[in-house]
Amino acid sequence: MRATVMYRAGDVRLEEVPDPQLQTGHDAIVRVVAACVCGSDLWGYRGVIPTSSPRRMGHEFVGIVENAGADVENVRVGDFVIGSFYDCDFTCEICRSGFSSSCLELGWYEGCQAELIRVPHADGSLAVVPADRLTDELVPHLLTLSDVFGTGHHAAHAARVGAGSEVAVVGDGAVGLSAVLAAHRLGASRIVAMSRNPERQALAREFGATDIVEERGAEGAAVVKELFRGIGPQAVLEAVGTAESMEQAVRSVRPGGTIGYVGVPHGGPELPLRPMFSNNTVLAGGIAPVRNYIDELLPDVLSGAVQPGRVFDLELPLSDIAEAYRAMDERRAIKVLVRP
């Protein structure tokens, strides 16, 4: 089969690799219908995270079950499934408490930007989409449940966003835009999107943002606070993962407010604990347990109540995977959907 391999910064290739095989009775082999490039994939592509040896890429996918082990009970050959961006058993105490992304049997796939993928805990990691509800138009929206929309939802959930909440979102990538949509879905009354990009600003407004703030740093925080009676919003959703984005969140949130952080950390100084301590700031979030959220979010995706797949503004064949990375790296695309 064909699969994406990163060799070094800026060097992503599509190569022929052996087809995956069942290794245990709990495995499934899924033929990938759609995958995508994630912002976190870019840290290796940009050299922020070193690539010491060639590695397979991709952690988001939807597809059709092609084979399943003898002990698999919840999915069958022919099922269309959503794969969480991590592998979990979905039965351990941690999974049942709502944090499947920290499963006691946690594992990672061997690259989902490929034609086939082996899922070690098929019953836990895969969510079946009802066949009578499935259409090709739904595929991009379903794919977001593998990671990006579930991650945006996690930011809002961790920050305790609900009916009438006041929210600011730091980051205008796919996760930040998903966080805007998630906050709107949960009933936030006012949502500020921090963005300088006109196309992303427009999508943020369509997703439910009521205000756009282009400023950064102390100036940006001052503008955000002014929009909320000079004290700031109750919740700030941090969707980037840099020291600068976290500082922006800390500067913007009101005293006693909550920061929901889901941006993958990649370098920079430690948290600004002194101002957080002084303002009784709550920090909650981390790696999103998207498998726990699929059952909640899937009905709204199937009904069209939310359309998170609109973050995909470029679709390419797997054969153009190098261009998919370039488009994301150069910010010519918010998020690229890839079809084998």
Side-chain angles (χ1 to χ4, degrees), residues 45-56:
Y45 188 77
R46 291 169 175 166
V48 176
I49 297 175
T51 300
S52 57
S53 60
R55 59 190 177 98
R56 300 266 293 277

Side-chain angles (χ1 to χ4, degrees), residues 79-154:
D79 281 345
F80 187 96
V81 292
I82 303 166
S84 309
F85 67 83
Y86 50 85
D87 180 65
C88 65
D89 63 19
F90 213 49
T91 60
C92 75
E93 184 175 351
I94 303 302
C95 286
R96 287 184 284 108
S97 69
F99 294 96
S100 57
S101 52
S102 297
C103 174
L104 297 177
E105 297 291 330
L106 183 68
W108 306 99
Y109 304 117
E110 193 181 20
C112 304
Q113 294 161 4
E115 294 177 317
L116 295 166
I117 183 74
R118 181 179 74 89
V119 181
H121 293 93
D123 280 337
S125 299
L126 300 176
V128 178
V129 178
D132 61 345
R133 305 292 301 278
L134 182 64
T135 65
D136 189 63
E137 290 74 21
L138 277 174
V139 167
H141 307 299
L142 295 169
L143 179 57
T144 67
L145 298 181
S146 183
D147 183 352
V148 65
F149 185 44
T151 296
H153 175 78
H154 185 52

Side-chain angles (χ1 to χ4, degrees), residues 264-285:
V264 179
H266 45 277
E270 296 180 0
L271 286 171
L273 290 179
R274 176 64 70 175
M276 293 175 64
F277 180 82
S278 299
N279 285 325
N280 281 281
T281 301
V282 177
L283 182 65

Side-chain angles (χ1 to χ4, degrees), residues 156 159-162 164-169 179-180 183-184 187-193 210-211 224 228 232-237:
R160 301 179 286 196
V161 173
S165 292
E166 298 174 331
V167 181
V169 178
V180 170
H184 180 69
S189 61
R190 193 170 192 184
I191 305 169
V192 173
T210 55
D211 302 87
V224 170
F228 296 98
Q234 300 153 336
V236 175
L237 313 185

